[in-house]
Amino acid sequence: MSAFVPPSALRPLLNSASSLKSSSFVHATCPATSFSTKPGKTARWHMVATGRSGNGPASAVTSTGGFGALDEVIDDKLWDVQVARMSKIVCTIGPKTCDIDSIEKLAETGMDIVRLNMSHGTHEWHGKVIENVREINTRGRFNLGILLDTKGPEVRSGDLKSPISVKRGQKFTWTVRKDFENFDDFTVDVSYDDFVKDVHVGDTLLVDGGMCSFLVTEVTDKDVTSECVDGGTLTSRRHLNVRGKSASLPAITDKDWEDIKFGMHNNVDFYALSFVKHEDDVRTLTSYLRENNSHALVLSKIESADAVHRLGPILEASDGAMVARGDLGAEIPIEDVPLVQDEIVSINRSLRKPTIVATHMLESMITYPSPTRAEVADITEAVRQGADATMLSGETANGSFPYKALNVMATVAESVVSQDSALSENDLFSPVSRMREGKTVDARLDLAYGASTMASRLNVAAILVFTRVGTYAKLVSSTRPRCPVIAFTPDSDLVRRMTLFWGIKPFELEFSDDPEETISRAVNLLIGKGLTSTGDTLVITSDMLVKNSARNKVNTIQVRTVH
């Protein structure tokens, strides 16, 4: 893959310094801009360039105040880059991590978003977790987002007096009957009355995603008779799936609606909608939220066979997606799960929407203090595919080593970005050019590519974006620049919603009518937080940094040095 060629509107910028001032595409101000490395400080990007053919000798490229030197850069083959982690981490809160000190320690270790799993716990318990998160946010060090994950229409087995050991060939009965006193040792009830209608002879029934499996041999109006294929121990309230099928239940249950109302009352930032089967499920929730003045993002959990068949329309209707690989692997052939994961990330990158890759990422660390090599490779692959976030479930909810697991995920994700930054040929930093047929492209996308391209070729500390609704910051994030995207907005709720997006570090900032004052406030805030210092070069971009911005919109890219 050759190096990224910037949009045609940007190319004049790379040919002459004067075009920065005269371009109709960009109005930029460059006061006392310098691109030399500061004494005693390692350059963020030390670039070595080769010819496109790779045959010529490599030569270091530097710039001393203009863009003329960039003409020498034909293909950036090797970058010596020190880059912070760009992908985000979602952590599930459970009994071991629900107190305020534990949540703060998770934030210090690398957590960006708190996940509330509504399959467990009461509203009172989750409400206390939300209070703890809000308290941590008010302390000023973190802006943690909150994701409410609905339980969805799950099918589960009933209660057992004691665990049942099932061996291969054993006959086992699943029933919708409630005459428990007549059950033998190998009969258990099912929570879903239409279970007998959804299951047919020859189906494979999976318990907890495949911990045990059964072949259906007979179906009556009340019972499903099966034969054990893979034995194991069956305990109470186990999750049941039928391979290749989804239960004919509504995507949003009565319990889900109560949980969603609870989330709205507590102003959560994201909803992960479980077992989405159709794009109308997403639209129903989104409409309900907007009608009730909630701007929370709706993420579709792709975990059913029905959803896989309608990926395009579902992702179009959603604000983002979660690849819930546990249940997904129970409903489709397990060897297809990585392919579906890759497709979801790819579609969402083309739509410029976020993806969370979840389930079993560091499953062994629920019990053990170190990960398997395969788990490390799994995280690496998700980040390289371009997922905006990866997620921990039981590892942080009830695992023995929640902070070690989080540290492993953060370290691996950071390592992937640092190593892949050195090679422009990797897809992680290759902008997505795939366009959706019939869709209008946001005119600011060229501006976002322009800011990203300049940041990737100059010794910059960050891209600064000023936004009121978040769209422009998301566009810049979607171009995958090699430096943080620091987004400023006066909307505190939007700050938390932007925590999910790749590379974005969001901050709340009141905007002044004077653009220079707004920029000055932003830079001073970053200096105060130790995120920039004198001599750093910043790319500043916005579509609103002009006086009377409510009436005037001017797209700008500026390159400035911190003084």
Side-chain angles (χ1 to χ4, degrees):
M1 181 184 296
S2 60
F4 163 62
V5 178
S8 57
L10 176 63
R11 290 172 196 151
L13 298 180
L14 303 181
N15 295 326
S16 66
S18 61
S19 64
L20 270 176
K21 298 180 180 178
S22 61
S23 170
S24 60
F25 172 67
V26 176
H27 169 73
T29 307
C30 306
T33 304
S34 172
F35 303 110
S36 58
T37 304
K38 291 179 286 184
K41 187 172 182 178
T42 304
R44 284 176 175 78
W45 285 296
H46 172 66
M47 182 169 60
V48 178
T50 66
R52 183 173 297 278
S53 65
N55 298 325
S59 59
V61 177
T62 60
S63 178
T64 57
F67 289 87
L70 290 177
D71 292 334
E72 299 174 38
V73 182
I74 299 177
D75 196 4
D76 46 334
K77 286 288 185 182
L78 181 62
W79 300 67
D80 178 15
V81 188
Q82 294 178 350
V83 183
R85 174 170 58 87
M86 297 292 197
S87 61
K88 306 304 182 70
I89 298 178
V90 182
C91 292
T92 305
I93 301 301
K96 291 192 174 182
T97 51
C98 60
D99 62 278
I100 193 166
D101 291 337
S102 296
I103 294 173
E104 187 167 37
K105 188 173 180 180
L106 288 172
E108 291 169 346
T109 309
M111 175 178 67
D112 299 290
I113 296 172
V114 167
R115 173 180 176 247
L116 306 177
N117 184 358
M118 304 310 289
S119 295
H120 307 284
T122 63
H123 284 180
E124 181 181 5
W125 185 90
H126 288 295
K128 182 61 178 176
V129 172
I130 293 173
E131 288 179 13
N132 290 341
V133 173
R134 299 288 192 236
E135 171 61 27
I136 292 168
N137 284 349
T138 61
R139 296 175 183 178
R141 294 177 60 198
F142 305 103
N143 290 308
L144 300 173
I146 297 177
L147 183 152
L148 186 150
D149 195 331
T150 64
K151 180 180 179 181
E154 295 180 324
V155 179
R156 291 186 178 270
S157 62
D159 290 316
L160 298 173
K161 294 180 180 178
S162 60
I164 300 174
S165 179
V166 185
K167 297 181 179 180
R168 181 178 176 85
Q170 173 70 52
K171 180 181 176 182
F172 201 91
T173 301
W174 313 85
T175 183
V176 296
R177 293 182 283 113
K178 303 302 178 185
D179 54 334
F180 307 114
E181 66 279 0
N182 295 324
F183 288 6
D184 61 28
D185 291 340
F186 295 97
T187 299
V188 66
D189 65 304
V190 176
S191 62
Y192 172 44
D193 288 342
D194 284 338
F195 181 71
V196 292
K197 297 180 181 178
D198 288 350
V199 176
H200 300 90
V201 173
D203 285 346
T204 299
L205 180 63
L206 303 176
V207 179
D208 277 355
M211 300 301 293
C212 302
S213 64
F214 299 82
L215 178 66
V216 176
T217 58
E218 183 182 359
V219 179
T220 68
D221 60 343
K222 295 290 185 181
D223 296 339
V224 173
T225 304
S226 63
E227 180 181 311
C228 179
V229 177
D230 295 305
T233 300
L234 184 65
T235 56
S236 297
R237 301 184 184 181
R238 296 300 87 196
H239 191 196
L240 305 179
N241 294 94
V242 177
R243 174 79 75 188
K245 293 184 177 181
S246 299
S248 53
L249 287 165
I252 308 177
T253 66
D254 291 342
K255 171 179 166 46
D256 292 337
W257 282 119
E258 291 302 314
D259 292 340
I260 290 165
K261 292 174 185 176
F262 166 80
M264 292 171 56
H265 176 74
N266 287 279
N267 195 25
V268 302
D269 309 296
F270 312 95
Y271 291 89
L273 185 58
S274 295
F275 295 99
V276 170
K277 294 184 286 187
H278 195 278
E279 57 272 19
D280 288 346
D281 302 332
V282 183
R283 295 191 184 112
T284 297
L285 176 55
T286 301
S287 297
Y288 179 79
L289 293 174
R290 302 299 176 260
E291 289 168 3
N292 288 276
N293 300 315
S294 171
H295 296 283
L297 303 185
V298 177
L299 312 178
S300 291
K301 290 180 68 178
I302 307 301
E303 54 188 336
S304 69
D306 288 347
V308 172
H309 298 314
R310 298 194 61 81
L311 271 184
I314 288 173
L315 296 180
E316 288 266 11
S318 308
D319 295 313
M322 179 188 293
V323 189
R325 303 179 303 179
D327 287 303
L328 182 61
E331 293 212 2
I332 67 173
I334 197 166
E335 63 272 17
D336 289 347
V337 172
L339 305 178
V340 172
Q341 173 181 312
D342 184 63
E343 180 66 9
I344 293 168
V345 174
S346 177
I347 293 174
N348 264 352
R349 284 199 64 187
S350 71
L351 292 171
R352 307 185 191 283
K353 295 180 179 182
T355 305
I356 303 171
V357 175
T359 321
H360 300 155
M361 300 217 78
L362 288 170
E363 186 82 358
S364 70
M365 293 193 73
I366 293 176
T367 306
Y368 301 104
S370 60
T372 67
R373 308 308 181 256
E375 288 169 336
V376 171
D378 186 30
I379 298 171
T380 299
E381 177 63 15
V383 176
R384 277 187 165 165
Q385 285 174 347
D388 291 73
T390 50
M391 193 178 93
L392 295 171
S393 300
E395 300 94 332
T396 51
N398 53 27
S400 299
F401 306 97
Y403 310 109
K404 285 188 175 182
L406 176 55
N407 185 62
V408 166
M409 179 168 280
T411 301
V412 172
E414 181 175 345
S415 175
V416 172
V417 173
S418 295
Q419 292 179 37
D420 286 11
S421 294
L423 298 174
S424 64
E425 295 163 344
N426 192 281
D427 286 343
L428 177 57
F429 290 104
S430 297
V432 175
S433 59
R434 176 174 161 192
M435 299 296 179
R436 312 297 291 180
E437 290 185 9
K439 298 297 178 181
T440 302
V441 178
D442 194 315
R444 293 169 294 181
L445 186 57
D446 273 346
L447 189 71
Y449 275 124
S452 178
T453 301
M454 277 198 273
S456 295
R457 282 154 172 76
L458 305 175
N459 181 32
V460 302
I463 299 174
L464 274 56
V465 181
F466 297 84
T467 181
R468 291 190 185 276
V469 296
T471 303
Y472 186 44
K474 297 170 189 175
L475 287 174
V476 175
S477 166
S478 75
T479 67
R480 296 300 193 256
R482 290 176 167 86
C483 64
V485 178
I486 301 180
F488 296 99
T489 179
D491 186 342
S492 59
D493 290 349
L494 178 58
V495 168
R496 297 191 304 274
R497 292 198 297 273
M498 287 194 292
T499 55
L500 176 57
F501 292 85
W502 192 95
I504 293 183
K505 294 181 181 295
F507 293 100
E508 183 178 0
L509 181 76
E510 286 300 320
F511 291 170
S512 168
D513 289 337
D514 182 355
E516 288 301 316
E517 183 178 344
T518 299
I519 293 174
S520 178
R521 288 178 185 174
V523 173
N524 288 336
L525 185 153
L526 296 181
I527 291 174
K529 291 183 174 293
L531 296 176
T532 191
S533 59
T534 300
D536 275 345
T537 303
L538 304 173
V539 169
I540 300 173
T541 184
S542 176
D543 62 351
M544 47 184 278
L545 281 178
V546 292
K547 290 187 177 181
N548 300 318
S549 60
R551 295 191 299 272
N552 301 316
K553 299 291 184 182
V554 178
N555 294 334
T556 68
I557 300 178
Q558 307 181 24
V559 181
R560 296 196 179 195
T561 299
V562 179
H563 295 295

